Amino acid sequence: MSAYATLEDLDEVAESYAADRDASPDERAARRLRDATIQRMLPMADRLARRYRSGSEPADDITQVARLGLVKAVERYDPERGSFTAYAVSVITGEIKRHFRDTGWNVHVPRRLQELALAVGRARQDLTGELGRGPTEAELADRCGVGREDVRAALVSGAGYRALSLSQPTHDGTGELGDLFGSDDHNLDLVPDRVSLADLLDRLPQRERRILTMRFQGNHTQQEIGDELGISQMHVSRLLSRALSWLREALLTDAVPPWPGEDEEPGQLRVIPELGGRVRVIGEIDRDNTARLRAGVQPLLARTPAGAVLTLDLSQVPLVDAAGIGTLVTLRRAAAGRGARLELTGMQPFVRRVASALSFR
């Protein structure tokens, strides 16, 4: 007899094995007889395994499961139950399907759909070879003997058979599969605020809008902005503070607040004449507002008689720079030229230190 039995010989080989097994009193001899019989029947198991190699399950695993089913069929075979071939095919096919059902599916799918998905997969492979193209749902349904709805359900279920690793390299090899998945864009939550802010920025005066752009987009310092615009760093700080405060209030309220006019310039110097030859000065004195200081004090000096004293109350002046000190010196000299005196009172410690450092007399 040949080394391997053909399908037509399987029943005869099985019946011969069963008779010899029952007649052999030696357990070791029976085991050797069983192994030899299984070896002769392996081609049948391998042929059945090849029918299920259309999926992503490793072919070696399917072959191993089919051969295990053959072993069970040989060990359990009883000639009185009928054809061995029919029995072995049933056992091997059942083992393969059980393997797919228990270990192959990453998503739980009902057994009926699992089996139908496998059948549709085999039919698709066969029809593709026969037609030279991918089959339609109607063609798959006709080949499998089911409705088109069942075919669609089987195709959807088949997609849950094997999950792909997110670490799997992409086709171009430049990244991983997980890199292709989108994620929540938290910037979407900022869209309403950004749209509102863009409208508010358009309402700002050109100077304030330019300062904000230079500071927060160009990353310039306040001193650099001041040099560019010809104003002091302190003035830039005040303008920034006013613009940001207005934007904050506008974003937090339903109604857009009015933009402060030039008369409401933040920290703007004010010169207020009082009785008794006194003048109250309010605000910082720097190169941006020294002209306002001169404009407020010079008319008062012109009306101050010779020998009289005009007193500037600086108790509400928190800051003065070199340009401010220079203006105060100029005003004092103008008073002396008219025979009057200009005195300063109420200087805060910082202002006094600046005046002393610049040798203000």
Side-chain angles (χ1 to χ4, degrees):
M1 185 176 290
S2 62
Y4 298 100
T6 63
L7 288 177
E8 291 77 10
D9 299 329
L10 289 182
D11 288 346
E12 181 181 345
V13 172
E15 291 175 1
S16 176
Y17 158 71
D20 295 341
R21 177 192 61 188
D22 296 340
S24 175
D26 187 357
E27 183 177 345
R28 292 184 179 179
R31 186 179 301 113
R32 287 194 297 269
L33 181 62
R34 182 203 64 171
D35 293 344
T37 302
I38 292 173
Q39 184 69 24
R40 296 175 65 184
M41 294 181 175
L42 285 179
M44 178 191 66
D46 293 346
R47 290 191 191 99
L48 290 174
R50 283 194 291 271
R51 295 176 57 189
Y52 293 89
R53 292 179 181 176
S54 59
S56 59
E57 193 71 12
D60 291 343
D61 290 355
I62 301 175
T63 300
Q64 188 71 17
V65 172
R67 291 182 174 184
L68 178 60
L70 174 63
V71 171
K72 292 181 178 180
V74 171
E75 289 181 342
R76 300 171 183 173
Y77 174 61
D78 184 354
E80 296 182 359
R81 294 183 179 178
S83 170
F84 171 79
T85 303
Y87 174 67
V89 169
S90 175
V91 172
I92 294 172
T93 303
E95 288 293 325
I96 294 175
K97 291 181 177 180
R98 187 178 299 108
H99 170 75
F100 280 114
R101 183 174 65 251
D102 296 340
T103 63
W105 293 78
N106 292 130
V107 178
H108 177 70
V109 176
R111 180 174 179 178
R112 171 183 168 275
L113 286 179
Q114 288 185 11
E115 295 177 351
L116 182 57
L118 295 175
V120 169
R122 290 193 299 271
R124 172 186 281 178
Q125 185 178 22
D126 295 341
L127 287 172
T128 299
E130 297 172 9
L131 302 174
R133 58 172 175 80
T136 63
E137 287 184 357
E139 292 169 338
L140 288 172
D142 183 63
R143 175 61 63 92
C144 297
V146 296
R148 296 178 62 177
E149 291 294 333
D150 291 332
V151 170
R152 279 194 286 269
L155 293 174
V156 172
S157 301
Y161 172 70
R162 179 59 54 87
L164 295 177
S165 172
L166 295 180
S167 299
Q168 175 178 311
T170 55
H171 295 298
D172 56 8
T174 59
E176 297 180 349
L177 182 61
D179 299 333
L180 303 179
F181 286 84
S183 58
D184 293 337
D185 188 355
H186 300 291
N187 288 328
L188 291 176
D189 297 334
L190 302 178
V191 169
D193 290 338
R194 289 182 174 179
V195 172
S196 299
L197 182 61
D199 178 66
L200 293 173
L201 288 174
D202 289 339
R203 302 190 184 195
L204 284 175
Q206 182 178 2
R207 180 182 61 175
E208 279 73 3
R209 191 162 57 247
R210 183 179 179 187
I211 289 175
L212 289 173
T213 301
M214 294 179 67
R215 181 70 184 93
F216 297 105
Q217 186 173 342
N219 201 30
H220 293 284
T221 65
Q222 293 183 7
Q223 186 61 54
E224 291 171 342
I225 297 173
D227 294 340
E228 177 72 19
L229 300 181
I231 58 179
S232 68
Q233 178 270 327
M234 292 181 294
H235 198 186
V236 172
S237 177
R238 291 194 297 266
L239 294 175
L240 271 175
S241 178
R242 180 177 70 167
L244 293 176
S245 296
W246 183 81
L247 289 173
R248 186 179 301 109
E249 181 182 356
L251 286 172
L252 296 177
T253 57
D254 295 332
V256 179
W259 174 255
E262 281 299 318
D263 291 341
E264 300 177 32
E265 186 80 17
Q268 186 178 36
L269 185 70
R270 288 185 291 168
V271 179
I272 303 175
E274 295 182 340
L275 298 176
R278 294 178 64 86
V279 180
R280 184 154 53 95
V281 181
I282 302 174
E284 300 172 358
I285 303 176
D286 55 34
R287 67 176 182 176
D288 299 316
N289 53 31
T290 52
R292 182 179 292 273
L293 179 63
R294 287 194 299 270
V297 174
Q298 283 177 341
L300 299 177
L301 284 176
R303 295 195 296 270
T304 301
V309 177
L310 181 64
T311 303
L312 297 185
D313 182 0
L314 304 183
S315 60
Q316 293 180 269
V317 176
L319 190 67
V320 63
D321 64 4
I325 294 296
T327 299
L328 292 174
V329 171
T330 300
L331 292 173
R332 173 170 282 187
R333 290 173 180 172
R338 297 182 57 82
R341 285 190 304 155
L342 179 66
E343 294 185 353
L344 308 182
T345 185
M347 285 190 291
Q348 298 185 23
F350 179 79
V351 176
R352 186 179 299 277
R353 285 197 300 272
V354 172
S356 176
L358 296 177
S359 302
F360 179 77
R361 297 290 186 269

